[in-house]
Amino acid sequence: MPDAARRPYVVGNWKLWGTRAAATGYCERLAELEPDGGWPVDTGLAVPFTALDAVVAGLHGRATAVLAQNMHQEQEGAFTGEISAPMLTELSVDGVVLGHSERRQLFGETDRALQEKVPAALAAGLQPILCVGETEEERERGETERKLRGQVQEGLDKVADERLADVVIAYEPIWAIGTGQVATPEQAQEAIAFVRALVADRSREAAELTRVLYGGSVKPGNAAEILAQEDVDGALVGGASLDPESFAQIVAAAAQ
Ligand code: PEP
């Protein structure tokens, strides 16, 4: 079980799914599923930019956080097609997923840009979720720790020690994302404990408080055993979060 100081956190990542109409219908269904007294753990939904205000409105008065799936590090400028932190906070968005492997692999997101994005999100009052994880080849070559070390150290490099625990980290092995090939609970625990140790290299106190999530083919049927691991503080859920019933079941598993 995770440390009591770290409240479990389950975040759905809709990726490139979710028109405004679909998002509104989703929020209505999720509200019906929410237990009296609210969800037993922290919850969040990372949705496409165009659905953000619909989800903010649909979840109004509820504790579920609304997150974007990316943002630019600069507040404004000649960066065609980009969205900045003040543009997100103006919509009452709570946080932002940064460095998702799909952005790294398909859209050229770099550790160097993330070094600027993570503190920019914090400065704007957004909760960053920094995604890290190795490819299958890197795991096979025994390079998982080297990869995680680089991503975590660079992503947190410009974050002050006293703000470290405000960054949520998602360990997402790339070979497990959208593949149905979930990490074993032991693999998730080992990698996440390593990520926590990297935070401890900066600040032991922050490491105790930093929430580190697992992501990669989490489903209602496999969530409980992964989330029961000592260092696993929650889940970043892609495909299974598109169905409000599945998402609610994973949230319930996180509370066990
Ligand atoms: C994700 O999008 O971060 C993710 C983990 O996807 P999936 O759950 O579909 O593997």
Side-chain angles (χ1 to χ4, degrees):
M1 248 333 199
D3 190 298
R6 304 191 302 268
R7 193 170 147 85
Y9 191 24
V10 178
V11 181
N13 173 24
W14 290 0
K15 314 191 190 213
L16 184 53
W17 277 280
T19 61
R20 295 165 61 77
T24 300
Y26 185 107
C27 292
E28 286 167 5
R29 182 66 189 125
L30 198 63
E32 289 167 0
L33 295 168
E34 186 170 331
D36 293 343
W39 298 110
V41 302
D42 286 350
T43 53
L45 290 175
V47 308
F49 290 127
T50 50
L52 283 168
D53 66 336
V55 175
V56 167
L59 295 177
H60 183 71
R62 300 180 184 278
T64 300
V66 181
L67 298 97
Q69 299 174 4
N70 182 32
M71 64 165 229
H72 196 273
Q73 57 271 36
E74 298 296 336
Q75 298 200 358
E76 56 187 12
F79 303 107
T80 302
E82 293 293 324
I83 298 279
S84 71
M87 294 171 185
L88 297 176
T89 54
E90 187 183 36
L91 295 180
S92 299
V93 168
D94 303 295
V96 58
V97 174
L98 293 173
H100 189 282
S101 63
E102 286 152 15
R103 295 226 52 90
R104 291 176 187 264
Q105 291 197 310
L106 304 174
F107 302 103
E109 182 78 280
T110 62
D111 285 326
R112 194 180 167 84
L114 291 163
Q115 223 174 56
E116 307 296 334
K117 289 187 180 195
V118 176
L122 287 171
L126 293 166
Q127 174 192 65
I129 299 183
L130 173 66
C131 301
V132 298
E134 80 287 0
T135 63
E136 189 164 23
E137 296 71 35
E138 286 164 340
R139 176 164 280 267
E140 280 167 2
R141 289 199 300 260
E143 293 174 3
T144 299
E145 293 194 350
R146 182 193 59 76
K147 179 73 175 291
L148 295 178
R149 183 179 297 109
Q151 290 182 325
V152 171
Q153 287 180 346
E154 286 208 53
L156 299 179
D157 188 47
K158 294 189 177 169
V159 176
D161 284 0
E162 55 274 16
R163 297 299 314 268
L164 282 174
D166 297 326
V167 181
V168 175
I169 301 175
Y171 166 65
E172 301 204 297
I174 295 170
W175 45 272
I177 298 180
T179 59
Q181 190 191 339
V182 66
T184 64
E186 294 72 26
Q187 286 171 325
Q189 165 60 28
E190 188 182 24
I192 287 179
F194 181 71
V195 167
R196 194 177 306 289
L198 292 170
V199 180
D201 288 343
R202 288 277 309 274
S203 159
R204 282 193 176 281
E205 199 185 347
E208 290 301 312
L209 298 172
T210 298
R211 290 186 289 185
V212 189
L213 317 182
Y214 167 79
S217 297
V218 173
K219 309 271 182 262
N222 61 28
E225 58 174 353
I226 294 176
L227 292 166
Q229 298 299 306
E230 191 182 343
D231 281 283
V232 180
D233 299 318
L236 182 55
V237 185
S241 73
L242 294 173
D243 172 23
E245 268 81 8
S246 301
F247 184 66
Q249 285 166 23
I250 294 168
V251 172
Q256 280 168 19

